[in-house]
Amino acid sequence: MFGFLNIYKPQGKTSHDVVAVLRRVTKIKQIGHTGTLDPFAEGVLPICIGKATRLIEYLNDDKAYIGTVQFGKTTTTYDTEGEIVKTSNKKISLIDIENCLPQFRGEIQQLPPIYSAIKVKGKKLYEYARNGEEVEIQPRSVNIHKLEIIDFDEENQTLQLHIECSKGTYIRSIAHDLGENLGCGGHLIKLVRTKAGKFELNKAVNLDELQTIEQVKSKLIYPLDYLDYNKYELNSDEKEKVSHGMAININSKDGTVILTQNNELIAVAEVENNKAKISKVFI
């Protein structure tokens, strides 16, 4: 079995839970996801099965979310799963939020939450946090392509945002930092990932629809449709060379290229000066 699945991950389950279910159904160990989605969150979770796991690095990593922020309370985890550490009676307005959002758009420096899986000195941040150990966290550069208000409930001080961003962006940190900048504190109370690369929420499959290996096969996405790279059609001689990992000369611009034959994925190569050096072979 070879391909991608567009899975809807429900709130309360981990990304590893989803993988475990699919391994049990398919009896295939070689299954992976393209990026962890917190148990607190729900939405799109791209899954790779079989040799498709070797394509994870070539998939578009940009994400889209709908996040709901509760102002007036700050938590240790920046979401509902943490302990409340600070409260505020300050009420903010829609204009306050609109004036604050521009500094969160574009390329920004973001400090990840202490309760996250990022490793520092070989140890995950949440392990330091749970042990009460202090650790220096370095800010990371992320890109917020779009940050728009969907709805603001001024009475309840809740804000719903549409966010499109690069890989590695923490929406929890946006909620926390927005609350800090507004002087009232804030944390994330709901998060839905609506898009991950070409995987979209409205096409996602619920796990309960995948009870048999036949059902899994029926939902498989062939990788060629989701790889945003130039494609080169091999002739028979070229395919023979590529199948043995041999470089070939092709007419293509420099960079990653997908080598195919009759709409079948044969290999991924890196082209430089019209010479394609084979990175991964799939036959």
Side-chain angles (χ1 to χ4, degrees):
M1 198 180 299
F2 174 57
F4 304 139
L5 287 173
N6 183 3
I7 298 294
Y8 167 77
K9 188 199 82 67
Q11 190 176 32
K13 283 191 178 295
T14 68
S15 303
H16 295 301
D17 290 337
V18 173
V19 169
V21 169
L22 291 170
R23 283 176 176 160
R24 186 165 62 248
V25 171
T26 64
K27 311 302 181 190
I28 295 173
K29 289 185 178 180
Q30 195 178 12
I31 298 178
H33 57 78
T34 65
T36 300
L37 194 59
D38 290 340
F40 159 77
E42 60 187 280
V44 171
L45 181 67
I47 296 290
C48 301
I49 296 182
K51 289 183 180 180
T53 55
R54 300 171 65 206
L55 292 167
I56 289 176
E57 65 186 278
Y58 298 105
L59 287 169
N60 185 324
D61 280 328
D62 285 353
K63 310 289 196 302
Y65 299 90
I66 294 176
T68 306
V69 183
Q70 174 68 66
F71 293 117
K73 294 179 182 178
T74 303
T75 72
T76 52
T77 58
Y78 300 177
D79 60 24
T80 58
E81 296 190 334
E83 297 177 4
I84 296 172
V85 291
K86 188 168 61 176
T87 60
S88 171
N89 292 322
K90 180 181 178 179
K91 300 295 182 182
I92 57 169
S93 67
L94 182 59
I95 294 175
D96 294 330
I97 297 168
E98 289 174 337
N99 289 337
C100 193
L101 286 183
Q103 63 190 288
F104 290 92
R105 296 187 179 112
E107 189 169 331
I108 65 171
Q109 293 296 307
Q110 185 182 72
L111 204 62
I114 183 64
Y115 282 90
S116 62
I118 294 172
K119 287 188 175 181
V120 175
K121 297 179 181 178
K123 193 173 176 180
K124 293 177 180 177
L125 285 180
Y126 66 73
E127 294 176 324
Y128 288 103
R130 288 172 181 171
N131 294 332
E133 301 175 54
E134 291 189 4
V135 61
E136 185 178 355
I137 306 175
Q138 297 296 327
R140 304 193 305 172
S141 179
V142 297
N143 204 314
I144 310 300
H145 309 304
K146 186 177 287 187
L147 181 62
E148 297 176 340
I149 296 170
I150 298 174
D151 182 62
F152 177 56
D153 184 336
E154 189 162 359
E155 181 180 353
N156 293 306
Q157 292 286 286
T158 57
L159 170 69
Q160 192 177 55
L161 291 167
H162 169 72
I163 304 147
E164 295 180 16
C165 55
S166 63
K167 175 185 178 181
T169 302
Y170 278 91
I171 310 302
R172 286 184 285 150
S173 289
I174 292 177
H176 175 270
D177 295 346
L178 184 59
E180 290 296 298
N181 286 18
L182 288 166
C184 60
H187 68 285
L188 201 64
I189 59 172
K190 186 178 176 74
L191 182 64
V192 180
R193 185 156 71 191
T194 59
K195 192 174 180 181
K198 286 192 172 183
F199 298 85
E200 298 179 350
L201 184 60
N202 60 3
K203 297 177 183 177
V205 180
N206 290 319
L207 269 181
D208 55 16
E209 296 177 45
L210 304 175
Q211 300 296 318
T212 67
I213 193 167
E214 289 76 19
Q215 289 173 329
V216 173
K217 287 179 178 178
S218 72
K219 299 298 182 181
L220 272 183
I221 299 163
Y222 194 61
L224 282 183
D225 301 329
Y226 278 59
L227 296 172
D228 292 326
Y229 295 96
N230 288 334
K231 296 178 178 64
Y232 177 85
E233 182 75 3
L234 299 166
N235 60 38
S236 297
D237 290 340
E238 290 171 334
K239 179 182 176 182
E240 180 64 23
K241 290 178 180 178
V242 166
S243 67
H244 292 94
M246 297 172 62
I248 59 172
N249 293 317
I250 65 174
N251 184 18
S252 177
K253 68 179 184 180
D254 289 358
T256 302
V257 65
I258 306 298
L259 304 179
T260 66
Q261 189 180 76
N262 299 324
N263 207 35
E264 179 187 3
L265 173 62
I266 305 300
V268 178
E270 295 299 324
V271 178
E272 186 176 355
N273 297 325
N274 291 327
K275 187 167 188 176
K277 294 183 178 179
I278 310 306
S279 302
K280 297 183 181 182
V281 177
F282 292 91
I283 55 173

